[in-house]
Structure formats: structure tokens, C-alpha cells
Amino acid sequence: MAGLNLDPWQVWTMEQACALTDQTFYNDFTGQWQRKWAAFEVGLVVSRQNGKGSLLEARELAGLFLFGERLIIHSAHQFDTSKEAFARILMLIEQTPDLEAEVKRISRSHGEEGIELKSGQRLRFRTRTKGGGRGFTGDCLILDEAMILDSGQVGALMPTLSARPNPQLWYTGSAGDKDSTQLGRVRSRAMKHSDHRLFYAEWSIDACTDFCLATCTDHDEPTAIESYARANPGLGIRISVEHVQSEQRSMDPETFGRERLGVGDWPVDGAQWAVIGEDTWTAREDENSIMLEGAGEILTLAVDTSPNRAFSTIGACGKNPDDMLHVEITGYDTYDNRPGTQWVVPRVIELWNALKPDAVVIDKVSQAGAFIAELEEADVKVVSPNTYEYAQSCGEFYSGIVPRKGETPSIVHIGQVPLTNAVAGADKRDLADKWAWDKKNSSSDISPLVAVTLAAWGYRKVLHERPAAATPWVHRR
């Protein structure tokens, strides 16, 4: 009626965000029993110019003229953004006689922008402050520019919903950075599927890195039109391919990735000891454990690098005198858990020549995969697990620390601080019918944990592939 025609992605988002449960409440304005929202919180992350503003206008019009919401608060980080949102929805109402006929009052005063209907329903536009919004009892709270939102501001606004029977809270914005703590927490819950009352939608790509091969199929190529489309649901409707290509030529890769492809540098809100409990990990510590050396003993090394290449770690695995798998970070005076990557190859070659290990394990699709060619040129034997084997290695490591009922643990460590910190901050991600360590959503650098996990997998691989000792043949007369 207002001339606001939604794109297919906007229709889909509205349908999901406004899905209903079988629970009901009595609405004072409509005088009817209505069904409650399935989602208390709605998170929406999409790049600029895709039509997010029109989607919010649709939600606000529906709240006023269809849902019977008493108070809707639209909050933005900057006054200009809030003012523009107010002007756009006011234009939609004023150009639609049937809607304008329901309006009692319009406030255009600075900081008091809003629309009040004859029914008493209101739509208010606010610029965010730590105190802004206190005293309002809202049915719907829209936090636009949510990537610039802190917990203090949410603390001021969220209680406004507590007294209403069917409230809804929207977080909308584009890709965040390390300071996007509140939106990052919402995203983290969505990624973990841990909140059944959260609807979250994000349009973004999983971008290739500088170390991906030209044939990489594990990531999205930032220059591909398919990547443009994946991150921009308005492509071909509101945004042209030619314009996106012009943006790409004008921007540096990081800015283009964030602003147009939805590649955020999100903060991590991971819980400590989320996978392996602290008591369980501590119980597997044996500071006196040592790896057996000599003929017939197996020793494997492994390398892992964090996704941003900020840290790399070399891990090792061998048997100890108690027939347990002993894992540790290599190093003498200092641990081989150091910043950057340039030190890795020379150090691995040094350890290869000194310790004579059976193999060096590297996940070839990880950042550490960039070391493989140079190590093999130095005659270092590198083995790599496939995706199934990597997931299997994570499960085996977990079972070695946290055995099933009736089984005994099989792995010990010596209490190295970087490894303990990695285990404390580690999270996991689903991988088909298995799981693997989650580097992106863990709350700390987990390269030490991944390195020793791979080293333990390499130990078992060498052990299973080693020929069995021949039975002596004895001839008696």
C-alpha cells in the first residue's frame, strides 16, 4: 500500500524474523489474542546498499499498522543515520492517505523525532547513548549500526522490553571488527546454534587467503561474481556487478572484503574450557613424563599456524615409559609457539636433523600448508590428513584426554602454559558426522592444541603403517 516493494531476500528475512509460536497473549490495542514471536532477538548482517533500511521500514510499518505494537524504538549510532531513517518512513506514511489518516502527531524536534498514531502507538527515533532509551517500555527495539554497539548501550535499552508480553529486539548492521562486541556475541550464539529464540541471517563470503592455490575450492574467491552475489542479496536488483567491480578496483582488499563482501574481523566471545574441562585437563598433566628415545621408538612432529598467521606452533608426540602418548610443544629454553611464520621452516629443519622424527604432520588446507613445499625440498617427510582424518584426529585426541565410560585415558602432557591456554579457549565446529577444532570461534590462539592433535594422529599413522616385527625362525636338529 505504501509503495514499499520488498526484494525476495527481504521477504524471506521478514517471514523468518516474524515467525510465530503457538503461545498467545492478549493485545490491549487490538483487543485480540495474538500468537507470540518465535524469535525474541533478530540479527541481520548485510553489506551496505542492499536494502537493509527498506527492510526496517517494512518492520516498523507492520509494527504500527498490523501488529499493534505500542512503542517501537529505532536506535542508531549517529544522529544523521537516525534522522534519515525517520525521514524515509515519514515519507512512506505521508504519501499513503490510508496510513496518514491514522497519524495523530509528528515530532520533528531535534532528538525527539517520532510518529504517534491516534491509537496511542508510537515510533521513536533515538541516537544511542548509555542512557538513551531509559524510561521507555517498548514492544520492538531496533538497534541499527549494531556493529558500533557496546554492552552499556544495550544495558540501557534492553530493559525497556521486559514489561511487554511479546517484545522483539533487532540488531542490524554490516560486517564488524574487534570492537563489535555486542553484535559479535549475537553472531557467536548463532554460529553455535545455542539459542532457539534467536533468528540470525548473514550474507558474507569465506574469502581465500594469499596462500590459497589458484585451484582452491575451500574458500570463496573475492573477485568472482559468485562471491559478489553470495555477500550481496541485492546484486542485480539494487547493486550492479559493474559497480562492485569498480569498488574493488578502488578499495584495498581488506576494506573491500569488509565493506562489500561481509568479511568481518569479529571478536570472539568463547567460553573457557568449553570442550575439555579444566579438571580433566589438569588430571592428565604429568610434569615428569618424558618421551622414549632410541631405536624402535616413534616420534612425530606437527606444525599449525593461526588463521591470521599471527602465531605458529610446533608440537610433538611420542610414547612415555608408562605406555602413554606424550604430547608437548617443542623447544628448550623457549617454546616453539612464537609470533609469525618466518621462523617455522628453519626450526622444523633443525628439529628434523637433530631428533630424526618419523614424520612432520601439516594440515595442507591450513595456513601451515604454505610450509610443505619448502620442507619437502629439504627432504623433510611431510604427511597430511584429509578432512575425514583431521576430524578423526580431533575425536581421538579428545578421547585420549576425556575417555568414555569404562575406558582409560591414553594421553599425557607436561603442563605447558601455551598448550593449556589453547585447550582452555578452544571451541569446536561440526564437520559432517564428526567435529573439529574451531580456529575462528575459539577465544584464543589454539595452534598449540591443533599441533599436538596432529602430532598424535601422525604417531598413530606411523605406528599402524610400520611393518610388524618378523618372528624369528629357528631350526632344530
Side-chain angles (χ1 to χ4, degrees):
M1 183 188 297
L4 182 60
N5 299 307
L6 299 184
D7 300 342
W9 79 271
Q10 296 169 321
V11 173
W12 176 84
T13 301
M14 281 288 288
E15 289 175 345
Q16 303 303 314
C18 298
L20 301 171
T21 69
D22 291 331
Q23 294 180 310
T24 60
F25 73 102
Y26 185 75
N27 189 313
D28 295 334
F29 286 105
T30 63
Q32 296 177 345
W33 288 92
Q34 296 177 208
R35 292 161 65 189
K36 291 188 173 183
W37 304 126
F40 165 58
E41 291 176 288
V42 175
L44 176 63
V45 175
V46 62
S47 297
R48 293 177 175 86
Q49 307 305 317
N50 278 282
K52 172 175 59 65
S54 297
L55 181 64
L56 295 183
E57 291 157 16
R59 175 63 180 85
E60 290 162 356
L61 288 175
L64 287 175
F65 297 102
L66 298 178
F67 302 154
E69 292 174 324
R70 186 174 73 179
L71 175 62
I72 304 169
I73 301 175
H74 182 124
S75 164
H77 178 68
Q78 296 181 338
F79 171 74
D80 287 347
T81 307
S82 179
K83 184 178 179 180
E84 176 64 20
F86 168 65
R88 287 173 56 172
I89 198 165
L90 181 59
M91 180 182 68
L92 290 171
I93 292 175
E94 289 183 330
Q95 71 183 13
T96 310
D98 287 345
L99 301 185
E100 187 179 31
E102 300 296 322
V103 175
K104 176 181 179 181
R105 182 182 298 110
I106 296 172
S107 174
R108 293 182 171 85
S109 301
H110 178 76
E112 298 294 331
E113 291 83 0
I115 300 167
E116 182 179 354
L117 302 186
K118 294 174 182 177
S119 65
Q121 297 168 259
R122 291 178 296 160
L123 170 60
R124 298 295 305 273
F125 290 82
R126 311 286 291 181
T127 303
R128 276 196 294 274
T129 64
K130 289 189 176 180
R134 291 188 186 275
F136 292 104
T137 303
D139 293 284
C140 181
L141 173 58
I142 293 174
L143 301 175
D144 197 15
E145 300 180 313
M147 65 284 187
I148 313 171
L149 180 67
D150 62 42
S151 57
Q153 293 166 333
V154 175
L157 290 164
M158 186 173 284
T160 66
L161 305 174
S162 62
R164 302 304 299 155
N166 190 37
Q168 193 169 63
L169 172 60
W170 283 57
Y171 302 91
T172 62
S174 53
D177 56 26
K178 290 299 185 185
D179 294 324
S180 303
T181 53
Q182 187 65 32
L183 187 56
R185 291 190 182 104
V186 174
R187 185 177 188 271
S188 179
R189 280 188 283 136
M191 300 293 282
K192 294 176 182 178
H193 306 280
S194 62
D195 189 344
H196 72 281
R197 297 213 62 203
L198 167 66
F199 167 70
Y200 180 86
E202 174 181 317
W203 282 264
S204 61
I205 70 165
D206 186 11
C208 280
T209 69
D210 293 338
F211 299 91
C212 287
L213 299 176
T215 56
C216 175
T217 58
D218 295 311
H219 302 89
D220 300 314
E221 169 54 52
T223 62
I225 294 177
E226 292 82 0
S227 295
Y228 299 168
R230 181 166 296 165
N232 295 276
L235 190 73
I237 304 173
R238 299 168 184 268
I239 307 170
S240 68
V241 171
E242 292 76 15
H243 182 74
V244 175
Q245 290 172 331
S246 296
E247 289 180 328
Q248 190 161 35
R249 288 191 293 268
S250 301
M251 299 179 186
D252 63 83
E254 182 178 353
T255 301
F256 180 77
R258 181 179 63 252
E259 299 297 334
R260 181 52 63 205
L261 300 180
V263 181
D265 184 18
W266 295 98
V268 176
D269 187 42
Q272 293 288 291
W273 305 103
V275 183
I276 297 175
E278 182 176 9
D279 292 343
T280 303
W281 178 252
T282 302
R284 302 308 309 140
E285 180 179 336
D286 180 359
E287 62 181 11
N288 296 316
S289 177
I290 58 172
M291 283 187 280
L292 296 174
E293 300 177 0
E297 299 297 339
I298 298 173
L299 169 64
T300 52
L301 302 179
V303 182
D304 189 61
T305 298
S306 61
N308 61 2
R309 299 179 66 83
F311 278 90
S312 299
T313 303
I314 304 174
C317 181
K319 272 290 178 71
N320 75 358
D322 296 323
D323 203 35
M324 293 279 187
L325 283 185
H326 169 117
V327 296
E328 66 177 60
I329 302 170
T330 58
Y332 303 110
D333 297 329
T334 58
Y335 298 133
D336 288 328
N337 166 239
R338 312 182 203 170
T341 60
Q342 293 184 353
W343 62 273
V344 174
V345 170
R347 178 60 174 157
V348 171
I349 294 173
E350 177 186 354
L351 292 171
W352 178 261
N353 293 328
L355 302 178
K356 309 298 183 185
D358 292 84
V360 175
V361 184
I362 297 177
D363 182 1
K364 62 184 177 182
V365 300
S366 71
Q367 290 286 6
F371 308 134
I372 293 177
E374 193 172 351
L375 289 172
E376 289 181 335
E377 287 178 2
D379 294 325
V380 174
K381 179 183 177 182
V382 178
V383 295
S384 298
N386 57 35
T387 301
Y388 177 87
E389 290 170 328
Y390 176 61
Q392 193 174 49
S393 74
C394 296
E396 288 177 341
F397 185 90
Y398 178 85
S399 297
I401 301 294
V402 189
R404 298 180 180 87
K405 186 176 180 180
E407 298 181 352
T408 57
S410 60
I411 295 177
V412 297
H413 63 93
I414 54 177
Q416 294 166 308
V417 173
L419 180 55
T420 295
N421 289 342
V423 175
D427 207 339
K428 61 182 182 179
R429 58 186 172 90
D430 293 332
L431 200 62
D433 60 340
K434 294 179 170 55
W435 60 268
W437 299 122
D438 190 343
K439 296 182 181 182
K440 289 187 176 180
N441 292 308
S442 294
S443 61
S444 62
D445 168 36
I446 65 167
S447 63
L449 173 59
V450 176
V452 298
T453 297
L454 292 173
W457 173 83
Y459 181 96
R460 294 187 182 95
K461 180 178 178 65
V462 172
L463 178 65
H464 294 155
E465 293 179 352
R466 175 175 288 184
T471 302
W473 180 80
V474 178
H475 174 71
R476 289 191 176 91
R477 290 182 181 272

